[in-house]
Amino acid sequence: MKKEINIIFFGAPGAGKGTQAKKISSKLNLPHIDTGNLIREAIINKTELGQRAQSFVESGKLVTDQLVIDLIREKLIVLKDRHYKGFILDGYPRTIPQANALGSLFGELNLELTNVINIQAPEDMLVKRLSSRRICTNKNCGAIYNLITKKPMTENKCDLCGSNLYQRKDDTEEAAHERLNEYNNKTAPLEKYYREKDKLTDIDGTKDPNNVYNEILRLVDSHK
Ligand code: AMP
């Protein structure tokens, strides 16, 4: 029987974990569970969760632990019921209580954590990447651009589908700084947490995204 692959993509905002998680999940055909995206969808759909999360997200703060703990619990229980091969968690856990809750959930569902991929980049690069990020408004496309390193061919238009691009409210320079503060205070301690469990692998996120992708793919393949 093939081994299940349960991976966490970890790193500061702007390190490239979303881009890489999306590519790896489509390559390996594994569900990509991205808490940031799930919360943004809930905000657009004005669900109770969305309404409770909105002001936190837009100012660059983390939402309260219980909100995301419940969200992930629901997702993983549903996944475990289906033909199960594993998953890619992107943006969760982000605090020690979230990591503890995930550990208990893994125990309850009889899952084993394969690896935590820690994508690293220096802070000045992170702020630059976040504040120059633009995203395609077409939900089915969602292509990501960068006004410095990956400019669209026509200003403010997606190269792939021609839709307009937008900037996330929490990608402004001010909100980006707040997100990095939150990361340093609440999320960075998880590095030690998973390193001590011998589950963390560092990846240099300053390299070209294709090189980063190939490195992650090699690592994931080694776990199969
Ligand atoms: P992201 O798209 O991963 O940058 O997440 C965007 C925002 O969603 C974050 O700045 C938080 O406000 C919220 N968020 C996403 N994941 C979490 C989490 N695990 N814990 C708390 N807040 C989260």
Side-chain angles (χ1 to χ4, degrees):
M1 206 171 81
K2 272 200 171 167
K3 245 175 101 180
E4 295 163 358
I5 301 273
N6 304 317
I7 295 180
I8 296 173
F9 273 70
F10 184 78
K17 60 182 183 323
T19 307
Q20 297 297 339
K22 197 171 165 188
K23 277 181 83 173
I24 295 283
S25 81
S26 81
K27 169 81 183 167
L28 302 180
N29 200 15
L30 288 176
H32 174 200
I33 306 173
D34 170 355
T35 43
N37 252 344
L38 291 170
I39 296 169
R40 277 187 292 279
E41 266 173 28
I43 293 175
I44 291 168
N45 295 329
K46 297 190 170 30
T47 66
E48 195 192 326
L49 185 152
Q51 287 174 4
R52 281 163 65 189
Q54 185 161 12
S55 63
F56 290 93
V57 174
E58 290 179 357
S59 63
K61 296 259 183 221
L62 291 185
V63 308
T64 48
D65 283 332
Q66 205 54 49
L67 225 60
V68 271
I69 288 173
D70 292 345
L71 181 70
I72 288 296
R73 186 181 168 77
E74 216 176 279
K75 286 275 162 202
L76 294 195
I77 288 174
V78 170
L79 258 187
K80 193 70 214 293
D81 258 2
R82 300 195 185 141
H83 182 60
Y84 182 77
K85 295 201 306 172
F87 53 78
I88 300 218
L89 269 181
D90 167 8
Y92 184 91
R94 279 187 180 172
T95 63
I96 299 278
Q98 291 179 24
N100 287 334
L102 187 65
S104 308
L105 186 59
F106 272 28
E108 193 185 314
L109 300 177
N110 200 18
L111 298 174
E112 197 191 329
L113 177 61
T114 309
N115 204 346
V116 179
I117 296 174
N118 180 30
I119 309 182
Q120 298 176 304
E123 195 145 325
D124 53 344
M125 187 183 249
L126 298 172
V127 175
K128 221 181 250 171
R129 278 187 186 168
L130 289 171
S131 55
S132 54
R133 176 162 64 183
R134 298 293 182 273
I135 302 169
C136 176
T137 45
N138 174 359
K139 241 186 113 223
N140 297 323
C141 173
I144 299 173
Y145 296 86
N146 184 292
L147 299 184
I148 301 165
T149 55
K150 194 187 168 203
K151 266 186 161 183
M153 287 184 295
T154 309
E155 198 182 333
N156 205 36
K157 296 278 178 211
C158 178
D159 294 350
L160 302 179
C161 72
S163 304
N164 286 336
L165 305 182
Y166 75 102
Q167 181 179 37
R168 271 170 49 176
K169 281 193 180 150
D170 58 348
D171 275 346
T172 59
E173 209 166 313
E174 194 192 345
H177 277 293
E178 186 55 42
R179 285 160 73 197
L180 290 170
N181 273 341
E182 289 281 83
Y183 176 82
N184 290 329
N185 293 331
K186 299 179 183 165
T187 310
L190 288 180
E191 234 183 276
K192 186 163 171 259
Y193 179 100
Y194 285 116
R195 210 182 291 284
E196 281 174 359
K197 293 184 190 295
D198 213 14
K199 288 288 182 191
L200 198 91
T201 306
D202 295 326
I203 297 280
D204 180 357
T206 64
K207 290 189 192 155
D208 177 83
N210 288 325
N211 293 343
V212 177
Y213 170 72
N214 287 327
E215 205 174 316
I216 296 174
L217 203 54
R218 270 198 300 277
L219 175 69
V220 176
D221 276 341
S222 73
H223 288 295
K224 279 185 178 166

